[in-house]
Amino acid sequence: MTYAILDCYTDEPAGLGVPPYLGTYPRYIYGYLKKQFPNEKIYYFTIDDLRLWKKWGMKDPNENLPKSKTTNITVYNLTKHHQKIAEILSDETTEIIVILGVHVPGKYLSAMPGTLKEVTPLIADLPCKKVLTGPAIFGTQLFGGQFTERIDKTVFETRAYNFNFAEIASLSLEGTEIVEQIPWMKMLEIETGKGCNVGKCSFCTEPLKSKVLYRN
Ligand code: SF4
C-alpha cells in the first residue's frame, strides 16, 4: 500500500490549516499511518501540487515571474514531490486521503483552499481509493452564507479521524516527519482542546466533532 495525503487546507474556529500554517489533520493522519503501516510509503501533497499537474500541465506560472506580475497563489505551495505527482498518484498510490473544509472563510494571502467542487473532478479518475476527511465531512463552503457543498459518494468514502489526546500525544510526534516534505517556512498548529460547550455559533461544527476534551 502507498498512501497519499492531499491537503486542500482547512479553516475553522478551532484551527487554521492554510499555508503557511500546517493544520493538525495532516500531521495526525501522517502519524497514524506511520504507526499503523510502518513499512508503507506516505506522501504529502497539496491542492497546489494537484492544480499544477491537472490545470497547468506542470508549467509553473510563478517560475521566473517578473516583479511587476502578481504571484499565482493557487499553485504557490508546492511540496517536495510535486514534480512526480502524476506518477505517484496514477501508478503508486493505493489510497488518497483528502483533507478539506473551510468553515470560517477568510482572505488568504499566499494560498487558496480547495473546494469539493474543484477537487472532485480532479481526482475522480485516479485508480485508487479516495477518502474524504476534515471539516468537509460536516459540511463546507469556501464563501460564507452559502449552502454547503455536496459530497459525491460515488467518488469518496468519508472517514473521521477523531483521536483523543492520549492518542494525539504519540501521533503528533510520529507525524512531525511530514515537515520533511514541505519546503516552505511553516507554522504548525497545536491543539490544546477539542469540542465546545460555550458557543452555539451556526457556522461552527466544533460542538459536533468532539465532546469537550482538554490536553493535560
Ligand atoms: S461554537 Fe464554540 S468553538 Fe465554535 S465558534 Fe462558537 S465558541 Fe468558537
Side-chain angles (χ1 to χ4, degrees):
M1 293 279 283
T2 295
Y3 293 90
I5 296 170
L6 179 68
D7 193 353
C8 299
Y9 315 135
T10 55
D11 192 353
E12 14 174 23
L16 179 59
V18 183
Y21 290 85
L22 180 72
T24 55
Y25 296 96
R27 188 157 54 100
Y28 294 170
I29 291 170
Y30 190 102
Y32 171 78
L33 295 172
K34 195 176 158 211
K35 206 167 177 177
Q36 294 290 316
F37 313 107
N39 300 318
E40 309 295 357
K41 278 194 197 154
I42 311 163
Y43 292 100
Y44 173 76
F45 290 110
T46 60
I47 180 69
D48 299 42
D49 296 329
L50 187 68
R51 289 171 180 140
L52 187 68
W53 170 32
K54 291 280 187 160
K55 295 186 173 181
W56 291 88
M58 297 308 290
K59 288 197 181 86
D60 186 350
N62 294 320
E63 211 172 86
N64 304 319
L65 194 71
K67 279 190 177 160
S68 56
K69 298 281 182 193
T70 309
T71 303
N72 186 327
I73 62 168
T74 68
V75 286
Y76 185 60
N77 304 282
L78 303 176
T79 66
K80 179 180 175 183
H81 299 293
H82 75 273
Q83 293 285 5
K84 290 186 168 176
I85 186 171
E87 184 186 320
I88 292 169
L89 293 188
S90 303
D91 305 335
E92 205 182 323
T93 301
T94 39
E95 182 171 306
I96 185 168
I97 300 165
V98 178
I99 301 167
L100 187 149
V102 167
H103 285 163
V104 279
K107 181 165 173 54
Y108 308 104
L109 298 179
S110 63
M112 180 58 70
T115 60
L116 276 174
K117 189 178 172 193
E118 178 186 17
V119 76
T120 304
L122 295 182
I123 65 165
D125 65 341
L126 294 178
C128 61
K129 184 174 183 178
K130 297 149 195 101
V131 175
L132 178 68
T133 193
I137 62 174
F138 299 96
T140 182
Q141 180 52 261
L142 188 56
F143 300 103
Q146 297 187 356
F147 290 112
T148 54
E149 292 190 287
R150 197 178 59 82
I151 299 168
D152 186 341
K153 295 279 178 64
T154 65
V155 174
F156 289 111
E157 170 188 313
T158 58
R159 192 182 296 160
Y161 290 90
N162 197 6
F163 305 115
N164 61 39
F165 278 108
E167 294 167 314
I168 287 170
S170 64
L171 297 183
S172 57
L173 291 178
E174 293 271 2
T176 53
E177 193 182 274
I178 197 172
V179 301
E180 293 172 11
Q181 298 190 40
I182 305 173
W184 62 88
M185 188 70 81
K186 54 222 148 264
M187 282 172 272
L188 273 61
E189 285 275 296
I190 61 168
E191 204 173 23
T192 55
K194 289 169 170 289
C196 175
N197 57 6
V198 180
K200 292 182 181 158
C201 312
S202 59
F203 57 87
C204 179
T205 57
E206 193 59 29
L208 303 175
K209 286 186 341 196
S210 171
K211 62 180 183 180
V212 177
L213 296 170
Y214 294 103
R215 199 172 87 170
N216 286 330

